[in-house]
């Protein structure tokens, strides 16, 4: 079942096109990663999905309903953590959590207490005195104390310390175990790699890559380190080979998967002594896309 | 040490000027224009010496003293004396408001929003922010003082000489600087900008009130209020510089104290400690309306108290007024517009108009809060949950309308109770109440305009303040300045029947209510259709 679906979703702010024909599909029970550089349009996409912004073109549906027209209905089943948590300085964290849970619909009292303890949050303090991480925790506790079917999280772990980051990841995995869906925008790639089933990369308002992590890896380059007896000179002139570095007899480079076979064949002619290859990390993938799509660097 | 603490003061002051490159000139120029235009208009209003003698006779009463301060030089009431009497204090209040708003913005406001944290990580001293704010406020008020002095002097009106104009401008500037200093001090005491603003305006209100009571009754009391000092410069009449020095000295002392306290405290902390709060929310908070009320509770209570006091301060002079005016045949001839009403009763509509337009401030604050919340990125918390836009705007609209009623009620009760305490034949509560409540439809229109702006033109909500300022100008000063009637008609307050002198006119009420409704409906419609920024 599809939880979120956008077709050719476009959002313009005056002359600036923040979202350009975005197509997304999040299925039930899936943790979906949404990554992209600053200003790529992640928050904008989320706000359109929440009916806070009105799409300029295309469609956005959540649970099969139009995100703008049926916002209130949809939100009864959604829990949300905004990218920048601004709270009311004269309300306490506890008051805000209760308010957020209540405004969404039903909440779970025990779950709330458990989460407050897990996230180690002092709920008696005024929000004005909270640090960034603590404000984030307020939003997280409110989100996960709700019985939602879909969690929309915009950089939810920004400002959390590593221990709290761990707690957060547990919450996400728990939600997935219960068959819930999570839409996660994040800059922390290790987190995305660990949590997400599928990923979309957005850049300048356009989706430039989507799929499972394995699929994405497939599309990209492998990092190779090789030591040979005979000198290797052909690499520089081979298409699909990048980032060549030499250190004595050891050569390291990146290679597109399509030409990997050819390259290996020619390398073996130079008598391989040692060979290491590494699948690309999400970071490699990311760097490549962030710096500009296509060709070498 | 001092250098260290104030490192980069000059560049930070320039940065403040840059941020306020529109705001500051708009404030200063409007205030200077207000002074100059008013001075000019008196030449139309009372061109001959005889006119001015007549005017002197009408304003020599306790109610006017309570509002504007004692009149000096009433026996030779030239344009200078008129300005010093009728405009100086009123303008000083506005200058103080400017200083308070700008100072809060650059001190506690920035600190609360976390911007100062960023600035302080740069090579900037611990006191730089406060001291550069002081520098900018000093400069702004100095410019205001000089422009006002110059603007008045070049008019070349009788009694408006160079010396007096300089003192006039200087006193305004010094008062502005003093309130910047007071705000700077409260910014150290309170740990949030609402508190700072609240304390500063409370101080201003108290200063006005103490001076009013002092000027009417016990002169010594007036010396405890900085606003009592400024009227005692007796500008254009005796030109005393003593009070000016007193104001400036106090300003420097307050700033010094503020700087000292700033050097003691941590970033983000205040001296009035925040106490631990509730771990869970009361059920009353848990709805859009509950939240809206909770966020504005302090504003409502504070304004209700202020309105009660304002009403009471007017009410307290009603008793004197009647007997005072009774005894002076000439004044009665001048003042009587409507037969069959006591002088006090004729005075009430004017007082009520002032109070209704003051009540419009909290009324607008309530509805414009929707936009303020949006700009602070806090609306998305509600909108991302099962809350409709109509219920959000509706909550604030309801509060706005209720606030109008509560404010007028407080003012009416204040006036009635003080009047009852001081008058031999007190006015009936119903008379005062009707005279006040007649303004409710006009307040609804103000709420409606607020809703319209929030929905349709969220970036231009501050227009509503200009509109209220305009209303104040044309309705309150319009009669005095003999402005054309249509100018007052552009304000809802200009249409309200002036009870008890005029009769209640339900057609007018209905039309005003209908306009309010139309504005509200358009506002809601647009709010439901537009993007929300956060
Ligand atoms: N209300 C708005 N008006 C005009 N432009 C906007 C508005 N909101 C966002 N933008 C612009 O749209 C683009 C996308 O912004 P968005 O906040 O969606 O980026 P993001 O991917 O969330 O970035 P980040 O990783 O920094 O959070 C940016 O260029 C931003 O400046
Ligand atoms: Mg973002």
């Amino acid at each position: 079942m599809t939880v979120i679906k956008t077709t050719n979703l476009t959002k313009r702010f005056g002359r600036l096109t923040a979202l350009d024909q975005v197509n997304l599909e999040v299925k039930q029970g899936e943790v979906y990663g949404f990554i992209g550089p600053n200003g790529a349009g992640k928050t904008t996409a989320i706000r359109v999905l929440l009916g806070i912004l009105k799409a300029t073109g295309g469609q956005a549906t959540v649970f099969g309903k139009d995100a703008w027209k049926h916002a209130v209905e949809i939100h009864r089943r959604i829990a949300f953590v905004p990218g920048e948590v601004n709270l009311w300085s004269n309300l306490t964290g506890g008051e805000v959590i209760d308010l957020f849970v209540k405004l969404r619909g039903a909440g779970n009292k025990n779950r709330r207490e458990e989460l407050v303890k897990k996230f180690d949050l002092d709920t008696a303090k005024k929000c004005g005195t909270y640090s960034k991480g603590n404000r984030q925790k307020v939003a997280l506790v409110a989100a996960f104390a709700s019985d939602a079917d879909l969690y929309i999280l915009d950089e939810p772990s920004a400002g959390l310390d590593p221990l709290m980051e761990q707690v957060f990841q547990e919450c996400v995995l728990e939600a997935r175990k219960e068959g819930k869906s999570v839409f996660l925008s994040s800059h922390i790639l290790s987190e995305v790699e660990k949590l997400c089933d599928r990923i979309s990369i957005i850049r300048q308002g356009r989706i430039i890559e989507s799929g499972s992590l394995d699929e994405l890896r497939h599309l990209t380059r492998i990092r190779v380190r090789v030591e040979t007896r005979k000198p290797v000179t052909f690499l520089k002139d081979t298409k699909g080979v990048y980032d060549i570095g030499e250190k004595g007899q050891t050569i390291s480079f990146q290679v597109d998967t399509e030409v990997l076979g050819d390259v290996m064949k020619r390398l073996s002619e130079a008598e391989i002594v040692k060979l290491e290859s590494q699948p690309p990390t999400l970071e490699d993938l990311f760097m490549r896309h962030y710096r500009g799509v296509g060709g070498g660097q | 040490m001092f250098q260290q603490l104030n490192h980069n003061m000059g560049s930070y002051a320039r940065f403040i000027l840059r941020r306020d490159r529109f705001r500051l000139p708009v404030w200063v120029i409007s205030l200077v224009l207000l002074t100059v235009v008013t001075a000019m208009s008196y030449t139309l209003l009372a061109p001959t010496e005889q006119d001015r003698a007549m005017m002197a006779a009408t304003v020599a009463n306790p109610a006017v003293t309570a509002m504007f301060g004692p009149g000096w030089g009433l026996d030779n009431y030239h344009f200078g004396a008129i300005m010093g009497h009728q405009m100086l204090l009123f303008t000083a209040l506005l200058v103080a408001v400017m200083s308070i708003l700008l100072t809060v913005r650059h001190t506690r406001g920035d600190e609360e929003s976390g911007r100062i944290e960023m600035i302080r990580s740069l090579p900037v001293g611990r006191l730089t922010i406060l001291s550069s704010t002081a520098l900018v406020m000093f400069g702004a008020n100095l410019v205001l003082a000089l422009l006002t002095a110059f603007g008045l002097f070049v008019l070349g009106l009788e009694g408006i000489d160079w010396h007096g104009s300089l003192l006039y401008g200087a006193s305004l500037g010094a008062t502005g600087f003093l309130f910047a200093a007071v705000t700077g001090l409260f910014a150290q005491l309170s740990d949030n900008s609402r508190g700072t603003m609240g304390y500063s305006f409370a101080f201003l209100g108290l200063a006005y009130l103490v001076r009013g009571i002092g000027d009417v009754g016990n002169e010594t009391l007036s010396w405890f209020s900085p606003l009592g000092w400024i009227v005692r410069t007796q500008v254009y009449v005796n030109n005393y510089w003593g009070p000016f020095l007193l104001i400036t000295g106090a300003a420097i002392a307050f700033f010094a104290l503020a700087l000292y306290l700033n050097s003691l405290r941590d970033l983000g902390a205040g001296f009035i400690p925040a106490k631990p709060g509730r771990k869970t929310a009361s059920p009353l908070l848990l709805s859009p309306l509950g939240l809206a009320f909770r966020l504005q509770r302090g504003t409502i209570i504070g304004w209700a108290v202020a309105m009660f006091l304002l009403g009471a301060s007017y009410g307290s002079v009603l008793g004197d007024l009647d007997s005072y005016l009774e005894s002076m045949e000439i004044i009665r001839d001048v003042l009587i517009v409507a037969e069959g009403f006591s002088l006090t009763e004729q005075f009430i509509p004017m007082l009520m108009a002032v109070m209704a337009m003051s009540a419009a401030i909290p009324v607008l604050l309530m509805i414009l809060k929707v936009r303020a919340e949006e700009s602070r990125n806090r609306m998305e918390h509600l909108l991302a949950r099962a809350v409709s836009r109509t219920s959000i705007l509706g909550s604030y609209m309801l509060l706005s309308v209720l606030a109008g009623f509560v404010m007028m009620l407080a003012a009416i009760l204040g006036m009635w109770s003080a009047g009852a305490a001081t008058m031999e034949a007190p006015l009936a509560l119903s008379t005062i109440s009707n005279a006040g409540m007649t303004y409710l439809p006009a307040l609804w229109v103000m709420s409606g305009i607020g809703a319209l702006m929030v929905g349709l033109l969220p970036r231009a909500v501050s227009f509503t303040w200009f509109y209220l300022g305009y209303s104040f100008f044309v309705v309150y000063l319009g009669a005095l300045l003999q402005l054309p009637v249509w100018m007052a008609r552009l304000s809802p307050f200009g249409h309200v029947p002036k009870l008890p002198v005029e009769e209640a006119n339900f057609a007018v009420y209905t039309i005003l209510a209908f306009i309010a409704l139309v504005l509200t409906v358009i506002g809601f419609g647009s709010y439901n259709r537009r993007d929300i920024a956060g």
Side-chain angles (χ1 to χ4, degrees):
Chain A
M1 213 190 80
T2 306
V3 176
I4 296 177
K5 187 169 168 60
T6 72
T7 17
N8 298 332
L9 184 65
T10 302
K11 175 70 196 173
R12 285 194 205 96
F13 295 111
R15 232 170 290 149
L16 180 117
T17 306
L19 295 177
D20 191 1
Q21 311 258 338
V22 168
N23 292 300
L24 288 173
E25 189 170 352
V26 179
K27 301 214 173 63
Q28 193 185 347
E30 166 172 86
V31 180
Y32 198 94
F34 195 43
I35 57 181
N38 292 125
K42 301 181 293 297
T43 302
T44 306
I46 287 177
R47 287 192 171 156
V48 173
L49 287 175
L50 288 169
I52 293 172
L53 298 179
K54 190 171 186 174
T56 319
Q59 260 148 23
T61 56
V62 182
F63 303 123
K65 294 185 185 118
D66 186 276
W68 172 264
K69 283 189 205 129
H70 302 280
V72 175
E73 233 173 291
I74 292 169
H75 295 173
R76 282 187 229 288
R77 298 173 60 190
I78 288 185
F80 168 60
V81 175
E84 201 182 312
V85 183
N86 291 300
L87 301 173
W88 300 274
S89 53
N90 51 337
L91 298 189
T92 65
E95 286 178 315
V96 170
I97 292 171
D98 287 348
L99 176 72
F100 284 179
V101 171
K102 179 71 204 301
L103 289 182
R104 201 196 65 83
N108 186 331
K109 199 97 199 152
N110 296 332
R111 180 98 179 106
R112 174 195 190 273
E113 291 314 311
E114 190 190 318
L115 284 165
V116 166
K117 215 172 283 160
K118 256 181 155 176
F119 276 109
D120 191 24
L121 181 69
D122 181 355
T123 49
K125 268 191 168 172
K126 292 260 158 78
C127 293
T129 63
Y130 278 145
S131 66
K132 178 170 165 49
N134 279 330
R135 289 201 301 270
Q136 203 73 32
K137 288 181 195 172
V138 170
L140 284 169
V141 171
F144 285 106
S146 315
D147 287 318
D149 295 325
L150 169 63
Y151 293 82
I152 295 185
L153 314 173
D154 192 358
E155 295 181 43
S157 49
L160 294 185
D161 63 40
L163 201 66
M164 291 305 136
E165 160 92 43
Q166 190 75 39
V167 176
F168 160 70
Q169 293 184 3
E170 281 164 24
C171 286
V172 171
L173 292 174
E174 224 168 282
R176 179 169 64 176
K177 221 187 308 166
E178 291 166 23
K180 299 178 168 171
S181 322
V182 180
F183 187 75
L184 170 68
S185 134
S186 177
H187 284 301
I188 301 177
L189 300 174
S190 60
E191 175 182 283
V192 174
E193 215 161 3
K194 200 180 260 161
L195 297 176
C196 296
D197 305 306
R198 289 198 309 139
I199 293 165
S200 271
I201 302 179
I202 185 172
R203 184 166 170 275
Q204 292 180 349
R206 285 198 201 111
I207 301 286
I208 48 175
E209 213 73 90
S210 297
S212 70
L213 197 53
D214 276 343
E215 282 164 2
L216 293 189
R217 276 181 179 141
H218 218 78
L219 289 172
T220 187
R221 305 158 188 168
I222 288 174
R223 190 185 286 279
V224 178
R225 262 160 76 101
V226 64
E227 203 182 316
T228 53
R229 274 216 185 93
K230 295 186 194 160
V232 176
T233 50
F234 68 92
L235 284 174
K236 280 193 201 72
D237 310 316
T238 313
K239 252 192 127 191
V241 175
Y242 316 94
D243 215 8
I244 305 164
E246 279 182 68
K247 215 187 215 173
Q249 290 295 75
T250 310
I251 305 175
S252 62
F253 58 93
Q254 289 187 28
V255 56
D256 282 338
T257 34
E258 303 99 77
V259 295
L260 182 62
D262 281 348
V263 170
M264 292 316 283
K265 214 185 281 165
R266 293 187 67 178
L267 271 180
S268 57
E269 287 164 12
E271 293 175 32
I272 298 173
V273 180
K274 211 165 126 194
L275 178 78
E276 284 171 32
S277 77
Q278 238 177 26
T281 58
L282 186 55
E283 192 148 341
D284 288 333
L285 248 167
F286 211 59
M287 286 306 175
R288 184 177 151 207
H289 285 305
Y290 277 29
R291 293 217 180 103
V293 204
Q297 290 126 359
Chain B
M1 177 73 183
F2 188 77
Q3 281 248 310
Q4 267 294 317
L5 289 172
N6 293 288
H7 192 70
N8 264 333
M9 177 162 89
S11 8
Y12 193 72
R14 271 200 297 282
F15 176 65
I16 294 179
L17 286 178
R18 238 194 76 113
R19 279 182 66 197
D20 282 354
R21 65 188 179 281
F22 295 119
R23 199 175 295 246
L24 206 50
V26 165
W27 266 110
V28 170
I29 291 169
S30 331
L31 287 170
V32 172
L33 280 183
L34 176 69
T35 302
V36 175
V37 169
T38 312
M40 278 181 347
S41 61
Y42 280 120
T43 60
L44 302 175
L45 187 60
T48 68
E49 202 165 315
Q50 209 174 354
D51 294 329
R52 295 195 288 275
M54 198 88 92
M55 185 191 262
T58 34
V59 296
N61 69 63
V64 171
T65 304
M67 280 191 280
F68 297 124
W72 317 103
L74 288 174
D75 44 353
N76 177 16
Y77 208 47
H78 50 57
F79 292 114
I82 294 177
M83 285 302 285
H85 184 197
Q86 299 184 16
M87 272 308 280
L88 181 60
L89 180 63
F90 173 65
T91 317
L93 283 176
L94 294 178
V95 176
V97 170
M98 168 188 86
S99 288
I100 291 174
L101 292 178
L102 292 177
T103 308
V104 171
R105 176 175 145 84
H106 290 295
T107 54
R108 189 51 83 170
D110 267 0
E111 189 163 340
E112 192 174 60
S113 67
R115 267 195 286 270
I116 283 187
E117 209 171 343
M118 208 161 73
I119 305 278
R120 282 263 296 267
S121 66
L122 303 169
V124 158
R126 189 139 27 103
L127 301 182
T128 301
I129 283 148
L130 185 56
S131 56
S132 353
T133 306
L135 194 65
V136 169
M137 293 317 296
F138 180 81
N141 282 297
L142 182 67
V143 171
L144 176 96
L146 293 176
L147 285 181
T148 304
F150 184 74
L152 283 172
F153 174 68
V154 294
L155 291 179
L157 299 179
E158 190 200 332
I160 298 198
D161 56 359
W162 186 224
H163 183 189
S165 300
L166 207 57
L167 178 59
Y168 191 98
S171 317
L172 283 182
T175 307
F177 189 51
L178 171 66
F179 278 91
V182 167
T183 311
L185 181 63
F186 284 127
Q188 312 311 313
L189 297 180
S190 167
D191 68 357
N192 60 75
S193 61
R194 289 165 60 91
T196 307
M197 188 113 48
Y199 288 127
S200 307
F201 277 115
F203 183 86
L204 178 63
L206 200 69
Y208 183 74
L209 196 69
V210 167
R211 178 214 55 81
I213 297 172
D215 284 353
V216 173
N218 179 350
E219 168 131 23
T220 323
L221 195 58
S222 291
W223 283 100
F224 285 96
S225 161
L227 295 178
W229 304 341
I230 186 169
V231 295
R232 276 165 185 73
T233 51
Q234 307 194 12
V235 62
Y236 290 120
V237 178
N238 288 318
N239 287 335
Y240 294 135
W241 282 84
F244 162 77
L245 293 177
L246 201 56
I247 297 171
T248 313
I252 293 169
F254 275 122
F255 255 127
L257 184 59
L259 282 168
Y260 173 67
L261 292 180
N262 194 1
S263 72
L264 296 183
R265 71 179 178 91
D266 291 338
L267 187 64
F271 283 90
I272 303 171
K275 37 185 190 316
R278 303 172 57 108
K279 276 184 184 299
T280 55
S282 110
L284 289 178
L285 174 67
L286 301 178
S287 67
L289 181 61
L291 176 67
F293 175 69
R294 174 65 186 281
L295 295 178
Q296 315 206 78
R297 193 174 56 189
T299 313
I300 296 177
I301 295 174
W303 272 97
V305 170
M307 291 302 296
F308 182 88
L309 292 176
L310 187 64
S313 68
Y314 285 159
S316 64
V317 296
L318 287 181
D320 292 338
L321 188 67
D322 231 14
S323 54
Y324 184 84
L325 297 177
E326 287 301 318
S327 66
M328 302 189 78
E329 205 96 7
I330 322 161
I331 301 172
R332 277 175 59 187
D333 290 345
V334 179
L335 245 187
I336 283 178
V337 222
E339 298 290 339
F341 290 96
S342 75
L343 294 167
T344 315
E345 280 169 332
Q346 292 180 37
F347 226 72
I348 284 180
M350 177 173 133
L351 300 181
M352 279 303 175
V354 172
M355 290 198 280
M357 287 185 284
S358 309
I361 298 174
V363 163
L364 283 179
L365 283 174
M366 295 295 125
I367 185 74
L368 298 186
K369 181 81 173 163
V370 179
R371 174 59 185 167
E373 286 287 293
E374 179 181 348
S375 341
R376 299 202 171 92
N377 260 330
R378 292 193 293 234
M379 263 319 166
E380 65 179 348
H381 293 305
L382 307 196
L383 288 174
R385 295 185 166 79
V387 178
S388 70
R389 296 181 179 203
T390 302
S391 72
I392 292 176
L393 191 54
S395 305
Y396 286 91
M397 191 66 192
L398 182 65
L399 280 183
S400 175
V401 170
L402 284 180
F405 175 75
V406 170
M407 297 307 145
M408 289 317 292
L409 188 66
I412 287 163
L413 288 177
M415 184 182 246
W416 173 75
S417 52
T422 54
M423 290 169 82
E424 277 170 30
L427 292 167
L429 178 57
S430 64
T431 309
I432 299 183
S433 165
N434 290 340
M437 293 305 178
T438 186
Y439 280 97
L440 284 185
L443 289 174
W444 299 338
V445 173
M446 294 311 280
S447 302
I449 291 173
L452 178 79
M453 295 306 285
V454 165
L456 205 57
L457 291 167
R459 273 168 230 267
V461 285
S462 44
F463 162 81
T464 46
W465 296 115
F466 279 102
Y467 186 58
L468 180 60
Y470 170 83
S471 298
F472 197 86
F473 186 73
V474 294
V475 174
Y476 181 46
L477 298 175
L480 205 66
L481 303 179
Q482 293 184 333
L483 297 173
V485 178
W486 62 264
M487 285 188 73
R489 294 282 175 190
L490 290 180
S491 157
F493 297 96
H495 292 273
V496 172
K498 296 177 177 56
L499 268 54
V501 181
E502 293 174 14
E503 294 214 350
N505 182 339
F506 287 92
V508 172
Y509 298 148
T510 314
I511 291 170
L512 285 176
F514 181 72
I515 292 172
L517 187 69
V518 170
L519 294 171
T520 308
V521 168
I522 299 175
F524 272 67
S526 325
Y527 190 68
N528 268 303
R529 275 192 301 274
R530 75 170 171 90
D531 283 351
I532 303 289

